[in-house]
Amino acid sequence: MQDTPLVFIDVETTGTRATRDRITEIAALKVVEGEVVERFVSLIYPGTIVPAHISQLTGIYDDMLADAPAFSAIAEELLEWLGSACLVAHNARFDASFLRNEFKRAGYIYRPTLICTLRISRRLNPSLPKHNLAALLSHFNIPLMRQHRAEDDAVALWELWQAWQRECDAATWQAALADEQHHRSLPAHLSSDQLADLPSAPGVYLFYGHNRLPLYIGKSVNLRSRVLGHFQRDHQDDKEMRLAQQIQHIEWEETAGDLSAQLREAQLVKTLMPILNRQLRRQGSLKTWYWPSDAACPTLVSGKAISQHQPGKLFGLFRSAKAAKEALRSIAEEHQLCPQVLGLEKGKGRCFAHQLDKCRGACCQKEPLDTHTQRAQQALAKLQVSAWPWPGRIVIREQSRKGGPVAHHVVDHWCYLGSATTKRRAQTLKGDTPQFDVDTYRILNRFLNAPEQHKLTIAPL
């Protein structure tokens, strides 16, 4: 580290999403053997307007950038200037993500070595209530001319670095740098101690932000690999960047296998409602198409019908009646089915679709009704909801690896009632007012179609 130049850097941007937002200002100080030997400072024309709230924060307005160079115009010069130097920044992954994306747009690959002063601060001064740059400068009585201007922040960061070196003995300082390099792939607000015991086993993990705000819940057959993988793609994935910027605490639960992990994930997401989970959230009243065995068309009913015995077929699970009708209409158009016979339109005689040659004439006896019904059900077959194939409750035993945890999952008509470590305990599970859940249905249907593949055994209760 001593022989490698350090570049203290700061960038100002049009927003927080590195894949979409752009750099408006860059400032860098090249330090060799404890001395600033060069500076690179420039406003950057972003090719887009600067949002008003960003301008108020940074003091950088559109008219200041009108004559500034685009990043592509300085990319080659900047890349050569940076060379193999190690970048030092406060919350370094943020600045580096913007640089990597700007260089990529200009046709260059840039993968710098990073030192994050935010992480160093947490290691050197764990008792401080805040570790943002302004709070640290105040703590060390370092003046700052203009906050959120690149050159002033870069200069202040270099002065903070020197203050740490004066305050720490050589061994403490070198240990902090070594620890930083060892854990440089981790988010700035996350302690590496929390990841030490992450197992390479199936389970669920929970990411929390400030004040234990649930950010994201996920599952994996390899917890350690999946959790660490979140922190490798933040420069190219906006959601991963948001996680990296906000995460402060991690919890996890090891499970008996993939089925346990998926069921637990769905349960936790619906309970905790983490802000970055879009899938698996609580749904409202679902709708499905019920086609009685003696009827010429389906009827739209509540999704609860799937957990009841029906003398007919169920097709599709939809978030709303509108979505269900749009799906059926789309299939009708694709297969030249009659929207009037299907109940999508009112009227008698030839339907409008038949006049456009988009219906084979079931509405005017040109196509036999039985033929139309058969064609319609064949067209809907890909949406058919699986009937519950057992007379009542079942228990699913899961153990994905020898010596690992065992789970017994109790399910009744696609409703998940809970899990227990033994079959005897599972027999007592009844669930708290169990209700049909489409996500649970899809998980169970996928696993129960191939139980041997997932090392599951199924028995009636």
Side-chain angles (χ1 to χ4, degrees), residues 79-93:
L79 190 63
E80 182 179 351
W81 188 89
L82 291 170
S84 60
C86 178
L87 294 191
V88 183
H90 208 65
N91 203 354
R93 292 166 76 93

Side-chain angles (χ1 to χ4, degrees), residues 169 187 265 319 333 373 387 389-390 413 416 432 446:
D169 59 70
E265 177 196 32
R319 304 285 181 181
E333 291 178 358
T373 299
W390 292 275
H413 288 83
Y416 172 55
D432 298 326
R446 187 164 57 249

Side-chain angles (χ1 to χ4, degrees), residues 84-156:
S84 60
C86 178
L87 294 191
V88 183
H90 208 65
N91 203 354
R93 292 166 76 93
F94 178 87
D95 299 77
S97 293
F98 272 90
L99 283 171
R100 289 184 68 170
N101 279 282
E102 290 284 16
F103 275 120
K104 183 178 179 180
R105 295 185 192 103
Y108 299 95
I109 296 175
Y110 183 56
R111 295 173 180 167
T113 302
L114 304 178
I115 294 179
C116 180
T117 51
L118 176 55
R119 269 203 304 267
I120 288 178
S121 175
R122 289 183 173 277
R123 293 187 180 99
L124 292 178
N125 307 110
S127 62
L128 289 181
K130 295 182 179 180
H131 295 269
N132 59 64
L133 186 58
L136 294 176
L137 297 179
S138 175
H139 176 75
F140 285 98
N141 295 315
I142 298 172
L144 179 65
M145 295 293 293
R146 299 172 299 174
Q147 190 174 4
H148 297 301
R149 287 303 301 269
E151 185 172 15
D152 295 76
D153 284 352
V155 169

Side-chain angles (χ1 to χ4, degrees), residues 168-222:
C168 299
D169 59 70
T172 301
W173 177 243
Q174 290 304 318
L177 291 180
D179 193 41
E180 157 62 16
Q181 287 302 288
H182 183 65
H183 298 106
R184 62 178 180 267
S185 64
L186 298 184
H189 299 285
L190 185 65
S191 168
S192 58
D193 295 340
Q194 295 187 44
L195 304 178
D197 298 324
L198 260 176
S200 299
V204 295
Y205 56 93
L206 302 89
F207 291 168
Y208 294 92
H210 182 62
N211 289 332
R212 293 297 177 94
L213 171 71
L215 297 176
Y216 183 78
I217 295 171
K219 54 82 186 171
S220 178
V221 295
N222 187 322

